[in-house]
Amino acid sequence: MKRRTVLAGVVPFLQVGRWLDQLLLVNQGEIVQKRFVGIAEGETTEITVTDDDGTTVSSEHEGQLGQSPAEISPEVATSLRERYDSIRFHVTVNHHNDSPKAFSRTGTIEYRTSRTLYSGIGVGDHISFQTSLLNADTIISLSCLANEKESLQRRCRVGVEDPTAE
């Protein structure tokens, strides 16, 4: 068997593995940070950052975000879209090391997500999730949300209504 034949068989398998990573929902981990940023004229402003130490809010947005800066309402998002060219919601996930090793991600990775998912999860939550097939660094849906790693399942009822809503 020629070397090219072997490579022709292996390379497509590796690509399929990447897609299986996303389709089989092997992405599981703990939320360790949430960031909400605004971008205007190429400058990025951290509006809120939530981690184990609590929530830090940009001084210019304290009054606007109210008592729950980790949960962004549609009205607040609309208001901030008038001020910024773009607003983005990020969550950082520390992946569980006991996911199937063949296709799962490891380590700590920051993902983009929708406003609804951002507001529906908190630091310390454990999630099973699916990423976009076109952009692996974007969470598009949750399969399970739990307070403890031991309670996390591949699929369960998630209390987030419309995960793709902005």
Side-chain angles (χ1 to χ4, degrees), residues 9-27 100-105 133:
V10 171
V11 171
F13 176 75
L14 293 175
Q15 290 298 327
V16 169
R18 191 175 122 219
W19 287 70
L20 282 175
D21 176 26
Q22 294 150 6
L23 293 174
L24 294 176
L25 304 173
V26 295
N27 295 307
K101 300 293 184 227
F103 302 115
S104 66
R105 291 180 164 200
L133 292 175

PDB file of all heavy atoms in Angstrom, residues 9-27 100-105 133:
ATOM      1  N   GLY A   9      -6.760   8.065   3.403  1.00  0.00           N
ATOM      2  CA  GLY A   9      -7.738   7.457   4.296  1.00  0.00           C
ATOM      3  C   GLY A   9      -7.736   8.056   5.682  1.00  0.00           C
ATOM      4  O   GLY A   9      -8.770   8.137   6.339  1.00  0.00           O
ATOM      5  N   VAL A  10      -6.598   8.523   6.156  1.00  0.00           N
ATOM      6  CA  VAL A  10      -6.469   9.046   7.514  1.00  0.00           C
ATOM      7  C   VAL A  10      -6.941  10.498   7.611  1.00  0.00           C
ATOM      8  O   VAL A  10      -7.645  10.862   8.552  1.00  0.00           O
ATOM      9  CB  VAL A  10      -5.009   8.919   8.013  1.00  0.00           C
ATOM     10  CG1 VAL A  10      -4.819   9.658   9.319  1.00  0.00           C
ATOM     11  CG2 VAL A  10      -4.634   7.458   8.158  1.00  0.00           C
ATOM     12  N   VAL A  11      -6.586  11.332   6.667  1.00  0.00           N
ATOM     13  CA  VAL A  11      -6.912  12.762   6.740  1.00  0.00           C
ATOM     14  C   VAL A  11      -8.422  12.995   6.806  1.00  0.00           C
ATOM     15  O   VAL A  11      -8.894  13.732   7.669  1.00  0.00           O
ATOM     16  CB  VAL A  11      -6.237  13.545   5.585  1.00  0.00           C
ATOM     17  CG1 VAL A  11      -6.743  14.971   5.538  1.00  0.00           C
ATOM     18  CG2 VAL A  11      -4.727  13.514   5.756  1.00  0.00           C
ATOM     19  N   PRO A  12      -9.238  12.367   5.948  1.00  0.00           N
ATOM     20  CA  PRO A  12     -10.680  12.571   6.093  1.00  0.00           C
ATOM     21  C   PRO A  12     -11.209  12.090   7.442  1.00  0.00           C
ATOM     22  O   PRO A  12     -12.107  12.700   8.017  1.00  0.00           O
ATOM     23  CB  PRO A  12     -11.283  11.749   4.948  1.00  0.00           C
ATOM     24  CG  PRO A  12     -10.198  11.654   3.942  1.00  0.00           C
ATOM     25  CD  PRO A  12      -8.916  11.614   4.742  1.00  0.00           C
ATOM     26  N   PHE A  13     -10.631  11.009   7.984  1.00  0.00           N
ATOM     27  CA  PHE A  13     -11.057  10.522   9.289  1.00  0.00           C
ATOM     28  C   PHE A  13     -10.808  11.575  10.368  1.00  0.00           C
ATOM     29  O   PHE A  13     -11.634  11.781  11.251  1.00  0.00           O
ATOM     30  CB  PHE A  13     -10.342   9.212   9.652  1.00  0.00           C
ATOM     31  CG  PHE A  13     -10.680   8.730  11.029  1.00  0.00           C
ATOM     32  CD1 PHE A  13     -11.906   8.152  11.295  1.00  0.00           C
ATOM     33  CD2 PHE A  13      -9.774   8.887  12.082  1.00  0.00           C
ATOM     34  CE1 PHE A  13     -12.237   7.716  12.576  1.00  0.00           C
ATOM     35  CE2 PHE A  13     -10.094   8.458  13.356  1.00  0.00           C
ATOM     36  CZ  PHE A  13     -11.326   7.877  13.602  1.00  0.00           C
ATOM     37  N   LEU A  14      -9.687  12.266  10.286  1.00  0.00           N
ATOM     38  CA  LEU A  14      -9.379  13.307  11.273  1.00  0.00           C
ATOM     39  C   LEU A  14     -10.377  14.453  11.180  1.00  0.00           C
ATOM     40  O   LEU A  14     -10.790  15.016  12.196  1.00  0.00           O
ATOM     41  CB  LEU A  14      -7.946  13.808  11.091  1.00  0.00           C
ATOM     42  CG  LEU A  14      -6.844  12.791  11.405  1.00  0.00           C
ATOM     43  CD1 LEU A  14      -5.477  13.376  11.072  1.00  0.00           C
ATOM     44  CD2 LEU A  14      -6.901  12.346  12.849  1.00  0.00           C
ATOM     45  N   GLN A  15     -10.786  14.809   9.957  1.00  0.00           N
ATOM     46  CA  GLN A  15     -11.782  15.861   9.779  1.00  0.00           C
ATOM     47  C   GLN A  15     -13.123  15.414  10.345  1.00  0.00           C
ATOM     48  O   GLN A  15     -13.821  16.185  10.988  1.00  0.00           O
ATOM     49  CB  GLN A  15     -11.923  16.227   8.295  1.00  0.00           C
ATOM     50  CG  GLN A  15     -10.720  16.945   7.738  1.00  0.00           C
ATOM     51  CD  GLN A  15     -10.479  18.274   8.430  1.00  0.00           C
ATOM     52  OE1 GLN A  15     -11.405  18.952   8.856  1.00  0.00           O
ATOM     53  NE2 GLN A  15      -9.221  18.639   8.563  1.00  0.00           N
ATOM     54  N   VAL A  16     -13.495  14.165  10.115  1.00  0.00           N
ATOM     55  CA  VAL A  16     -14.730  13.624  10.658  1.00  0.00           C
ATOM     56  C   VAL A  16     -14.673  13.660  12.178  1.00  0.00           C
ATOM     57  O   VAL A  16     -15.658  13.980  12.846  1.00  0.00           O
ATOM     58  CB  VAL A  16     -14.983  12.182  10.139  1.00  0.00           C
ATOM     59  CG1 VAL A  16     -16.113  11.519  10.906  1.00  0.00           C
ATOM     60  CG2 VAL A  16     -15.285  12.211   8.654  1.00  0.00           C
ATOM     61  N   GLY A  17     -13.504  13.375  12.741  1.00  0.00           N
ATOM     62  CA  GLY A  17     -13.338  13.427  14.194  1.00  0.00           C
ATOM     63  C   GLY A  17     -13.642  14.799  14.752  1.00  0.00           C
ATOM     64  O   GLY A  17     -14.250  14.943  15.811  1.00  0.00           O
ATOM     65  N   ARG A  18     -13.241  15.829  14.051  1.00  0.00           N
ATOM     66  CA  ARG A  18     -13.502  17.197  14.503  1.00  0.00           C
ATOM     67  C   ARG A  18     -15.002  17.477  14.515  1.00  0.00           C
ATOM     68  O   ARG A  18     -15.533  18.085  15.430  1.00  0.00           O
ATOM     69  CB  ARG A  18     -12.782  18.176  13.587  1.00  0.00           C
ATOM     70  CG  ARG A  18     -12.796  19.576  14.141  1.00  0.00           C
ATOM     71  CD  ARG A  18     -11.967  20.504  13.284  1.00  0.00           C
ATOM     72  NE  ARG A  18     -12.888  21.539  12.871  1.00  0.00           N
ATOM     73  CZ  ARG A  18     -12.924  22.094  11.693  1.00  0.00           C
ATOM     74  NH1 ARG A  18     -12.081  21.736  10.777  1.00  0.00           N
ATOM     75  NH2 ARG A  18     -13.786  23.022  11.420  1.00  0.00           N
ATOM     76  N   TRP A  19     -15.700  17.012  13.487  1.00  0.00           N
ATOM     77  CA  TRP A  19     -17.145  17.209  13.423  1.00  0.00           C
ATOM     78  C   TRP A  19     -17.842  16.364  14.492  1.00  0.00           C
ATOM     79  O   TRP A  19     -18.810  16.795  15.092  1.00  0.00           O
ATOM     80  CB  TRP A  19     -17.668  16.858  12.033  1.00  0.00           C
ATOM     81  CG  TRP A  19     -17.293  17.909  11.038  1.00  0.00           C
ATOM     82  CD1 TRP A  19     -16.047  18.173  10.553  1.00  0.00           C
ATOM     83  CD2 TRP A  19     -18.156  18.853  10.438  1.00  0.00           C
ATOM     84  NE1 TRP A  19     -16.085  19.215   9.678  1.00  0.00           N
ATOM     85  CE2 TRP A  19     -17.378  19.652   9.578  1.00  0.00           C
ATOM     86  CE3 TRP A  19     -19.509  19.103  10.521  1.00  0.00           C
ATOM     87  CZ2 TRP A  19     -17.902  20.680   8.825  1.00  0.00           C
ATOM     88  CZ3 TRP A  19     -20.035  20.126   9.749  1.00  0.00           C
ATOM     89  CH2 TRP A  19     -19.229  20.904   8.921  1.00  0.00           C
ATOM     90  N   LEU A  20     -17.342  15.157  14.737  1.00  0.00           N
ATOM     91  CA  LEU A  20     -17.930  14.315  15.772  1.00  0.00           C
ATOM     92  C   LEU A  20     -17.782  14.951  17.142  1.00  0.00           C
ATOM     93  O   LEU A  20     -18.656  14.822  17.993  1.00  0.00           O
ATOM     94  CB  LEU A  20     -17.284  12.926  15.772  1.00  0.00           C
ATOM     95  CG  LEU A  20     -17.755  11.978  14.689  1.00  0.00           C
ATOM     96  CD1 LEU A  20     -16.930  10.695  14.740  1.00  0.00           C
ATOM     97  CD2 LEU A  20     -19.220  11.670  14.812  1.00  0.00           C
ATOM     98  N   ASP A  21     -16.686  15.641  17.351  1.00  0.00           N
ATOM     99  CA  ASP A  21     -16.465  16.361  18.603  1.00  0.00           C
ATOM    100  C   ASP A  21     -17.657  17.247  18.905  1.00  0.00           C
ATOM    101  O   ASP A  21     -18.156  17.310  20.019  1.00  0.00           O
ATOM    102  CB  ASP A  21     -15.179  17.187  18.481  1.00  0.00           C
ATOM    103  CG  ASP A  21     -14.910  18.057  19.692  1.00  0.00           C
ATOM    104  OD1 ASP A  21     -15.382  17.718  20.787  1.00  0.00           O
ATOM    105  OD2 ASP A  21     -14.211  19.071  19.538  1.00  0.00           O
ATOM    106  N   GLN A  22     -18.136  17.924  17.893  1.00  0.00           N
ATOM    107  CA  GLN A  22     -19.249  18.843  18.072  1.00  0.00           C
ATOM    108  C   GLN A  22     -20.594  18.132  18.030  1.00  0.00           C
ATOM    109  O   GLN A  22     -21.510  18.473  18.770  1.00  0.00           O
ATOM    110  CB  GLN A  22     -19.168  19.933  17.012  1.00  0.00           C
ATOM    111  CG  GLN A  22     -17.934  20.776  17.239  1.00  0.00           C
ATOM    112  CD  GLN A  22     -17.361  21.351  15.974  1.00  0.00           C
ATOM    113  OE1 GLN A  22     -17.921  21.222  14.913  1.00  0.00           O
ATOM    114  NE2 GLN A  22     -16.208  21.970  16.087  1.00  0.00           N
ATOM    115  N   LEU A  23     -20.745  17.122  17.194  1.00  0.00           N
ATOM    116  CA  LEU A  23     -22.023  16.440  17.060  1.00  0.00           C
ATOM    117  C   LEU A  23     -22.329  15.507  18.225  1.00  0.00           C
ATOM    118  O   LEU A  23     -23.482  15.333  18.594  1.00  0.00           O
ATOM    119  CB  LEU A  23     -22.055  15.649  15.751  1.00  0.00           C
ATOM    120  CG  LEU A  23     -22.051  16.492  14.483  1.00  0.00           C
ATOM    121  CD1 LEU A  23     -21.933  15.582  13.274  1.00  0.00           C
ATOM    122  CD2 LEU A  23     -23.292  17.351  14.398  1.00  0.00           C
ATOM    123  N   LEU A  24     -21.328  14.880  18.807  1.00  0.00           N
ATOM    124  CA  LEU A  24     -21.554  13.932  19.893  1.00  0.00           C
ATOM    125  C   LEU A  24     -21.678  14.605  21.256  1.00  0.00           C
ATOM    126  O   LEU A  24     -21.884  13.937  22.262  1.00  0.00           O
ATOM    127  CB  LEU A  24     -20.415  12.904  19.940  1.00  0.00           C
ATOM    128  CG  LEU A  24     -20.341  11.975  18.745  1.00  0.00           C
ATOM    129  CD1 LEU A  24     -19.125  11.079  18.867  1.00  0.00           C
ATOM    130  CD2 LEU A  24     -21.610  11.157  18.615  1.00  0.00           C
ATOM    131  N   LEU A  25     -21.552  15.904  21.292  1.00  0.00           N
ATOM    132  CA  LEU A  25     -21.716  16.666  22.528  1.00  0.00           C
ATOM    133  C   LEU A  25     -20.777  16.204  23.627  1.00  0.00           C
ATOM    134  O   LEU A  25     -21.164  16.042  24.766  1.00  0.00           O
ATOM    135  CB  LEU A  25     -23.177  16.595  22.999  1.00  0.00           C
ATOM    136  CG  LEU A  25     -24.212  17.052  21.988  1.00  0.00           C
ATOM    137  CD1 LEU A  25     -25.611  16.767  22.507  1.00  0.00           C
ATOM    138  CD2 LEU A  25     -24.058  18.503  21.643  1.00  0.00           C
ATOM    139  N   VAL A  26     -19.527  15.982  23.288  1.00  0.00           N
ATOM    140  CA  VAL A  26     -18.554  15.578  24.296  1.00  0.00           C
ATOM    141  C   VAL A  26     -17.948  16.787  25.002  1.00  0.00           C
ATOM    142  O   VAL A  26     -17.092  16.620  25.844  1.00  0.00           O
ATOM    143  CB  VAL A  26     -17.432  14.691  23.694  1.00  0.00           C
ATOM    144  CG1 VAL A  26     -18.004  13.388  23.207  1.00  0.00           C
ATOM    145  CG2 VAL A  26     -16.687  15.405  22.604  1.00  0.00           C
ATOM    146  N   ASN A  27     -18.403  17.964  24.665  1.00  0.00           N
ATOM    147  CA  ASN A  27     -17.905  19.164  25.322  1.00  0.00           C
ATOM    148  C   ASN A  27     -18.589  19.310  26.673  1.00  0.00           C
ATOM    149  O   ASN A  27     -19.802  19.501  26.755  1.00  0.00           O
ATOM    150  CB  ASN A  27     -18.185  20.407  24.473  1.00  0.00           C
ATOM    151  CG  ASN A  27     -17.438  20.372  23.169  1.00  0.00           C
ATOM    152  OD1 ASN A  27     -16.236  20.198  23.152  1.00  0.00           O
ATOM    153  ND2 ASN A  27     -18.146  20.528  22.064  1.00  0.00           N
ATOM    154  N   PRO A 100     -14.776  11.642  26.842  1.00  0.00           N
ATOM    155  CA  PRO A 100     -14.083  10.715  25.939  1.00  0.00           C
ATOM    156  C   PRO A 100     -12.874  11.392  25.288  1.00  0.00           C
ATOM    157  O   PRO A 100     -12.999  12.464  24.714  1.00  0.00           O
ATOM    158  CB  PRO A 100     -15.158  10.374  24.901  1.00  0.00           C
ATOM    159  CG  PRO A 100     -16.450  10.611  25.611  1.00  0.00           C
ATOM    160  CD  PRO A 100     -16.190  11.741  26.554  1.00  0.00           C
ATOM    161  N   LYS A 101     -11.702  10.797  25.420  1.00  0.00           N
ATOM    162  CA  LYS A 101     -10.453  11.436  25.008  1.00  0.00           C
ATOM    163  C   LYS A 101     -10.282  11.581  23.494  1.00  0.00           C
ATOM    164  O   LYS A 101      -9.553  12.425  23.040  1.00  0.00           O
ATOM    165  CB  LYS A 101      -9.253  10.644  25.555  1.00  0.00           C
ATOM    166  CG  LYS A 101      -9.232  10.559  27.062  1.00  0.00           C
ATOM    167  CD  LYS A 101      -8.985  11.904  27.681  1.00  0.00           C
ATOM    168  CE  LYS A 101      -8.875  11.780  29.174  1.00  0.00           C
ATOM    169  NZ  LYS A 101      -9.612  12.721  29.923  1.00  0.00           N
ATOM    170  N   ALA A 102     -10.947  10.751  22.710  1.00  0.00           N
ATOM    171  CA  ALA A 102     -10.711  10.765  21.266  1.00  0.00           C
ATOM    172  C   ALA A 102     -11.040  12.107  20.634  1.00  0.00           C
ATOM    173  O   ALA A 102     -10.331  12.572  19.755  1.00  0.00           O
ATOM    174  CB  ALA A 102     -11.516   9.663  20.600  1.00  0.00           C
ATOM    175  N   PHE A 103     -12.115  12.751  21.069  1.00  0.00           N
ATOM    176  CA  PHE A 103     -12.544  13.953  20.375  1.00  0.00           C
ATOM    177  C   PHE A 103     -12.771  15.156  21.279  1.00  0.00           C
ATOM    178  O   PHE A 103     -13.074  16.229  20.801  1.00  0.00           O
ATOM    179  CB  PHE A 103     -13.851  13.677  19.625  1.00  0.00           C
ATOM    180  CG  PHE A 103     -13.733  12.550  18.645  1.00  0.00           C
ATOM    181  CD1 PHE A 103     -14.448  11.395  18.827  1.00  0.00           C
ATOM    182  CD2 PHE A 103     -12.889  12.652  17.560  1.00  0.00           C
ATOM    183  CE1 PHE A 103     -14.349  10.349  17.934  1.00  0.00           C
ATOM    184  CE2 PHE A 103     -12.776  11.617  16.656  1.00  0.00           C
ATOM    185  CZ  PHE A 103     -13.508  10.466  16.837  1.00  0.00           C
ATOM    186  N   SER A 104     -12.666  15.012  22.585  1.00  0.00           N
ATOM    187  CA  SER A 104     -13.019  16.113  23.469  1.00  0.00           C
ATOM    188  C   SER A 104     -11.902  17.146  23.566  1.00  0.00           C
ATOM    189  O   SER A 104     -10.745  16.856  23.355  1.00  0.00           O
ATOM    190  CB  SER A 104     -13.350  15.582  24.866  1.00  0.00           C
ATOM    191  OG  SER A 104     -12.207  15.027  25.459  1.00  0.00           O
ATOM    192  N   ARG A 105     -12.311  18.344  23.909  1.00  0.00           N
ATOM    193  CA  ARG A 105     -11.357  19.416  24.140  1.00  0.00           C
ATOM    194  C   ARG A 105     -10.863  19.327  25.571  1.00  0.00           C
ATOM    195  O   ARG A 105     -11.529  18.787  26.441  1.00  0.00           O
ATOM    196  CB  ARG A 105     -12.024  20.763  23.905  1.00  0.00           C
ATOM    197  CG  ARG A 105     -12.341  20.993  22.467  1.00  0.00           C
ATOM    198  CD  ARG A 105     -12.986  22.324  22.304  1.00  0.00           C
ATOM    199  NE  ARG A 105     -12.934  22.674  20.904  1.00  0.00           N
ATOM    200  CZ  ARG A 105     -13.061  23.897  20.462  1.00  0.00           C
ATOM    201  NH1 ARG A 105     -13.249  24.881  21.288  1.00  0.00           N
ATOM    202  NH2 ARG A 105     -13.008  24.146  19.177  1.00  0.00           N
ATOM    203  N   LEU A 133     -20.770  24.238  14.131  1.00  0.00           N
ATOM    204  CA  LEU A 133     -19.966  23.454  13.195  1.00  0.00           C
ATOM    205  C   LEU A 133     -19.035  24.350  12.382  1.00  0.00           C
ATOM    206  O   LEU A 133     -17.983  23.916  11.934  1.00  0.00           O
ATOM    207  CB  LEU A 133     -20.873  22.654  12.259  1.00  0.00           C
ATOM    208  CG  LEU A 133     -21.664  21.536  12.932  1.00  0.00           C
ATOM    209  CD1 LEU A 133     -22.624  20.902  11.936  1.00  0.00           C
ATOM    210  CD2 LEU A 133     -20.751  20.498  13.527  1.00  0.00           C
TER     211      LEU A 133
END
